[in-house]
């Protein structure tokens, strides 16, 4: 199929964003925003590395790669506006398969009223999908990683480890309690945009999204803020039936699983009630999971009963 025909098929018939001046169809897209900070992010998915057709349909692949980008915008406190898609297509792919990728992206995109405004199409050895997403932030309320302070509460939205549990069930073709729940959490994650935006009244919130795993994300906050963070093991939120998995799997998945696309952050104690209210208004859960301390030898520690252990991004634990 000619590239032109393909682009005609995936192109939106109408656009949602009023700031858009030119979408798909010229050498580049054009939009006009006044006095807003513009936030841009990009994620790349490679077949065989970031996804396999064994555990995901192409619809889910599209859904997920866009979700990863929207989640990054949420973690910056940004309202998503637009996205662009670069795709490397191997010969054996049929046009209806490629359309499914875009169907998945459009399904998620339309729930945020965001528009596909451009991209690039080339052929190559393996399927590669790169999405660039653009958002805006008003009133200088960008949520950076470097703003944590000693005494802050560390919080996380939703449940952790679900996505990794879902992947495990798919890869090993296992039955389990709430199998559909875990698989859906893996294939169709929900970026926490509404919650992030609902905190716009708060002056200082540090945010990061859980793409690589809780310990990794919390380390990034601690390092950027020049602090250390203690996570309280029994407070890490997991789904009721998560307890059906082996203890070492539970530990591994909740701390290192990643791809839950929940938001982890820190906030002053005085603002914690407001954060809980924002979660309530956004119909999600939020839990206090730890606290920020002065910088010590390691960025992240885990408190189990009266034992405090350091934990590295790779997961090795040493007694302190
Ligand atoms: P150019 O050669 O000027 O870069 P192209 O012929 O590559 O333009 O693309 C024509 C239009 O289609 C542009 O608006 C471009 O952004 C858009 N486009 C191309 N490939 C894709 C794609 N895979 N997804 C979305 N839009 C695309
Ligand atoms: Mg051109």
């Amino acid at each position: 199929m000619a590239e032109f025909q393909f682009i005609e098929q995936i192109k939106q018939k109408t656009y949602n964003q009023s700031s858009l001046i030119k979408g798909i169809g010229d050498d580049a897209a054009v939009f006009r925003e006044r006095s807003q900070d513009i936030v841009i992010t990009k994620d790349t998915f490679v077949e065989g590395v970031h996804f396999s057709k064994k555990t995901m349909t192409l619809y889910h692949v599209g859904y997920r790669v866009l979700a990863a980008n929207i989640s990054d915008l949420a973690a910056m406190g940004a309202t998503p506006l637009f996205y662009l898609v670069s795709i490397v297509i191997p010969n054996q792919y049929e046009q209806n398969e490629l359309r499914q990728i875009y169907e998945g992206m459009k399904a998620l995109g339309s729930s945020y009223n965001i528009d596909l405004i451009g991209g690039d199409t080339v052929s190559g050895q393996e399927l590669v999908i790169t999405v660039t997403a653009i958002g805006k932030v008003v009133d200088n309320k960008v949520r950076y990683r470097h703003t944590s302070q000693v005494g802050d509460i560390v919080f996380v939205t939703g449940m952790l480890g679900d996505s990794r549990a879902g992947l495990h069930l798919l890869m090993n073709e296992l039955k389990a309690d709430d199998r559909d729940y875990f698989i859906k959490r893996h294939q169709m994650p929900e970026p926490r945009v509404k919650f992030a935006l609902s905190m716009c009244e708060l002056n200082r919130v540090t945010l990061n999204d859980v793409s690589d795993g809780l310990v990794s994300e919390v380390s990034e906050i601690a390092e950027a803020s020049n602090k250390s963070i203690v996570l309280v093991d029994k407070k890490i939120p997991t789904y009721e039936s998560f307890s059906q998995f082996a203890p070492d799997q539970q530990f591994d998945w909740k701390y290192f699983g990643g791809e839950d696309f929940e938001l982890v952050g820190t906030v002053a104690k005085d603002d914690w009630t407001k954060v809980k209210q924002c979660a309530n208004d956004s119909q999600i859960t939020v839990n206090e999971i730890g606290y920020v301390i002065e910088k010590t030898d390691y960025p992240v520690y885990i408190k189990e009963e009266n034992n405090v252990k350091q934990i590295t991004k790779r997961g090795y634990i040493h007694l302190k």
Side-chain angles (χ1 to χ4, degrees), residues 3-4 6-8 10-11 15 22-29 83-89 102 105 116-122:
E3 185 191 327
F4 174 75
F6 172 64
I7 295 166
E8 276 305 305
I10 57 160
K11 192 168 126 179
Y15 294 103
K22 185 74 192 179
I24 288 178
D26 212 309
D27 298 307
Y83 65 105
L84 298 95
V85 180
S86 249
I87 184 162
V88 180
I89 308 172
Y102 281 82
M105 290 191 284
L116 170 63
I117 61 167
D120 199 18
T121 311
V122 295

Side-chain angles (χ1 to χ4, degrees), residues 51-243:
F51 66 90
S52 128
K53 278 205 251 175
K54 190 182 170 197
T55 59
M56 254 190 250
T57 64
L58 288 169
Y59 177 95
H60 292 129
V61 170
Y63 188 101
R64 228 157 148 278
V65 63
L66 184 59
N69 278 273
I70 292 179
S71 178
D72 278 323
L73 292 179
M76 295 301 277
T79 304
L81 299 172
F82 304 113
Y83 65 105
L84 298 95
V85 180
S86 249
I87 184 162
V88 180
I89 308 172
N91 282 335
Q92 72 270 21
Y93 274 85
E94 308 266 339
Q95 45 172 295
N96 66 338
E97 291 184 288
L98 300 172
R99 275 210 306 275
Q100 282 175 41
I101 300 173
Y102 281 82
E103 290 305 319
M105 290 191 284
K106 281 178 187 166
L108 183 67
S110 66
S111 62
Y112 294 96
N113 269 338
I114 64 175
D115 294 320
L116 170 63
I117 61 167
D120 199 18
T121 311
V122 295
S123 51
Q125 296 299 313
E126 58 209 329
L127 184 65
V128 179
I129 306 159
T130 304
V131 172
T132 304
I134 303 172
K136 66 176 178 187
V137 177
V138 283
D139 300 332
N140 277 320
K141 292 284 172 64
V142 181
R143 304 310 190 183
Y144 295 108
R145 292 176 185 172
H146 67 254
T147 58
S148 291
Q149 293 182 9
V150 171
D152 276 5
I153 279 177
V154 180
F155 62 83
V156 73
T157 61
M159 306 288 154
L160 294 171
D162 290 347
S163 174
R164 187 61 188 78
L167 179 64
H168 171 78
L169 298 176
L170 284 164
M171 300 252 287
N172 301 293
E173 293 171 23
L174 296 172
K175 289 194 179 123
D177 292 343
D178 300 314
R179 185 174 198 273
D180 293 348
Y181 164 83
F182 290 109
I183 287 173
K184 188 163 184 227
R185 289 274 290 158
H186 178 68
Q187 294 179 332
M188 300 178 78
E190 287 175 50
R192 302 306 188 187
V193 174
K194 202 172 168 197
F195 169 70
L197 297 179
S198 73
M199 292 192 291
C200 68
E201 300 284 304
L202 296 178
N203 268 327
R204 185 179 60 83
V205 183
T206 308
L207 282 183
N208 198 355
D209 68 319
V210 183
S211 48
D212 295 331
L214 180 68
V215 172
S216 172
E217 314 305 345
V218 166
S219 290
E220 285 170 358
I221 291 176
E223 278 162 359
S225 298
N226 213 17
K227 304 283 180 293
S228 288
I229 284 176
V230 180
L231 298 174
V232 181
D233 184 63
K234 66 171 191 288
K235 291 190 175 177
I236 309 295
T238 55
Y239 197 64
E240 304 147 52
S241 60
F242 192 69
S243 58

